[in-house]
Amino acid sequence: MTSAELTGQLTGSPTGDLLLASGGTKGLVIELIGFAVLVAILARWIVPLILKMMSQAQERIAKQLADSEAAGQKLAEAQAAYDNAVAEARAEAEKLRADARAQNEQIVAEAAAAAQARADEITQRATEALEAERISAVRSLQAEIATMAVDLAEQQVRTALQDDAVQRRVIDRFLGELEGGISNAGSAPAGSTGGRSA
């Protein structure tokens, strides 16, 4: 099929076949006119429609790309925010654990100090009580021993005074000591004088 026949079929002209069949310049002109009409129709209605559809498709694709990029950016921002939140939560948890450990150590230290102070106080009170009891016991024993000593001395004096033989011996001894002391006193000057005369 030649271009003239194609043009005749496109234009729907029944005379196109005749003109083409007769040949010549007329047929060529008609073919050019038909082609020009076809190009004009394409340029007037089809091409703008195709361009419009292509433009809309490009806009949709561009919008989808932009939306995809925006979604990717939002996803990256959300991931970064999530990572930051997780890091902050971990840091806060670590800080809370450190604070809890510090408070626990402080509470234990305070409890130990309080327990030590209480133990020292109890020990001091017990020591003071024991010392007071010891002093009281010593005083009580001293008083009892003094009483017993006085009672024993009184008993011995009574026994000694009641026993005549003992009384006589005590008196004799006392008198003998007195006589011995007097005789010694009388003989001492004579001895000293004799010593000087010699």
Side-chain angles (χ1 to χ4, degrees):
M1 180 181 289
T2 63
S3 61
E5 292 174 352
L6 181 61
T7 305
Q9 286 181 358
L10 287 174
T11 56
S13 172
T15 59
D17 292 339
L18 295 175
L19 293 172
L20 288 174
S22 64
T25 314
K26 268 187 178 180
L28 182 59
V29 171
I30 291 174
E31 286 180 9
L32 288 174
I33 291 173
F35 182 73
V37 169
L38 179 61
V39 170
I41 290 172
L42 288 173
R44 175 77 177 140
W45 288 289
I46 305 294
V47 171
L49 183 61
I50 292 172
L51 291 175
K52 183 178 179 183
M53 290 173 59
M54 288 176 60
S55 176
Q56 290 175 350
Q58 287 176 351
E59 288 176 3
R60 279 197 307 270
I61 292 170
K63 184 178 179 185
Q64 288 175 355
L65 286 173
D67 291 344
S68 176
E69 290 176 0
Q73 186 177 0
K74 287 181 181 178
L75 179 62
E77 291 174 358
Q79 183 67 36
Y82 172 76
D83 292 341
N84 288 337
V86 168
E88 289 177 2
R90 286 179 181 165
E92 186 66 22
E94 184 60 32
K95 181 181 177 185
L96 290 174
R97 278 194 293 269
D99 290 345
R101 279 194 296 268
Q103 288 178 356
N104 187 27
E105 290 174 359
Q106 182 179 359
I107 290 170
V108 168
E110 289 175 357
Q116 185 63 42
R118 181 69 178 153
D120 293 343
E121 181 182 354
I122 291 171
T123 303
Q124 183 178 358
R125 286 183 182 176
T127 303
E128 290 174 357
L130 287 173
E131 183 65 19
E133 288 179 8
R134 186 187 69 79
I135 292 171
S136 175
V138 167
R139 287 179 181 168
S140 176
L141 285 173
Q142 286 175 346
E144 288 179 10
I145 289 171
T147 302
M148 289 171 60
V150 168
D151 290 344
L152 183 61
E154 287 178 359
Q155 186 178 5
Q156 287 178 350
V157 168
R158 277 191 213 117
T159 302
L161 291 177
Q162 289 174 357
D163 190 359
D164 291 337
V166 172
Q167 287 177 7
R168 281 189 210 127
R169 274 187 296 213
V170 169
I171 292 171
D172 290 341
R173 188 184 312 149
F174 179 70
L175 291 175
E177 288 176 358
L178 282 175
E179 289 175 0
I182 292 172
S183 62
N184 287 335
S187 62
S192 62
T193 306
R196 280 193 298 271
S197 64

